[in-house]
């Protein structure tokens, strides 16, 4: 069993920054791909960013490129999402995810991820 716990969400003004973290425990292997999704009220869960098992490959949704950075620490089984230049439309619940493969093929579909955290709220005021 794998447990994922997010932290770092909160309220920030537009243009500000936040750093989300996701700690993993249980049968989590450092080779697992890790990712972030978000879900705004009334909308479907959407892909934000992902990182391969060894951290060598990273992928971002188009709207996050250049503003968000995903990283991982395989010693601590933790993944981070640094979010800069935040906009009001970034407001959502952010979810950490993991999948039992190091591959980033087919990462944009939530149904292709195996494990999920409970989510952390990010609110950007304009």
């Amino acid at each position: 069993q794998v447990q994922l716990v997010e932290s770092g969400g909160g309220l920030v003004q537009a243009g500000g920054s936040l750093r989300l973290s996701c700690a993993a425990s249980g049968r989590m292997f450092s080779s697992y791909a890790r990712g972030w999704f978000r879900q705004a009220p009334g909308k479907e869960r959407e892909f934000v960013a992902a990182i391969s098992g060894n951290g060598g490959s990273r992928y971002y949704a188009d709207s996050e490129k250049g503003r968000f950075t995903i990283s991982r620490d395989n010693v601590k089984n933790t993944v981070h999402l640094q979010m800069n230049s935040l906009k009001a439309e970034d407001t959502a619940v952010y979810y950490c995810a993991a999948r039992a493969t190091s591959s980033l093929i087919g990462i944009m579909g939530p149904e292709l991820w195996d494990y999920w955290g409970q989510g952390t709220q990010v609110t950007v005021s304009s």
Side-chain angles (χ1 to χ4, degrees), residues 3-83:
Q3 294 82 38
L4 302 176
V5 179
E6 303 95 338
S7 62
L11 174 64
V12 64
Q13 289 188 335
S17 299
L18 280 175
R19 186 178 189 238
L20 305 183
S21 297
C22 176
S25 61
R27 283 182 59 84
M28 168 62 76
F29 297 98
S30 59
S31 60
Y32 284 12
R34 306 283 294 274
W36 289 94
F37 286 74
R38 67 186 182 189
Q39 189 166 16
K43 295 187 177 181
E44 294 185 350
R45 192 168 297 190
E46 64 175 5
F47 171 78
V48 174
I51 187 167
S52 62
N54 63 6
S57 297
R58 307 178 191 195
Y59 192 80
Y60 300 93
D62 288 342
S63 59
E64 278 72 66
K65 287 180 181 177
R67 299 191 301 125
F68 292 6
T69 302
I70 188 171
S71 61
R72 66 187 296 162
D73 181 340
N74 281 348
V75 174
K76 297 181 179 179
N77 257 339
T78 300
V79 64
H80 304 284
L81 184 69
Q82 178 67 42
M83 305 186 294

Side-chain angles (χ1 to χ4, degrees), residues 37 47 106-113 116:
F37 286 74
F47 171 78
I107 56 173
M108 297 187 71
E111 69 279 4
L112 297 179
W113 292 79
W116 293 90

Side-chain angles (χ1 to χ4, degrees), residues 9-18 83 86-88 90-91 122-126:
L11 174 64
V12 64
Q13 289 188 335
S17 299
L18 280 175
M83 305 186 294
L86 283 163
K87 307 173 183 179
D90 293 319
T91 295
V122 171
T123 303
V124 184
S125 63
S126 57

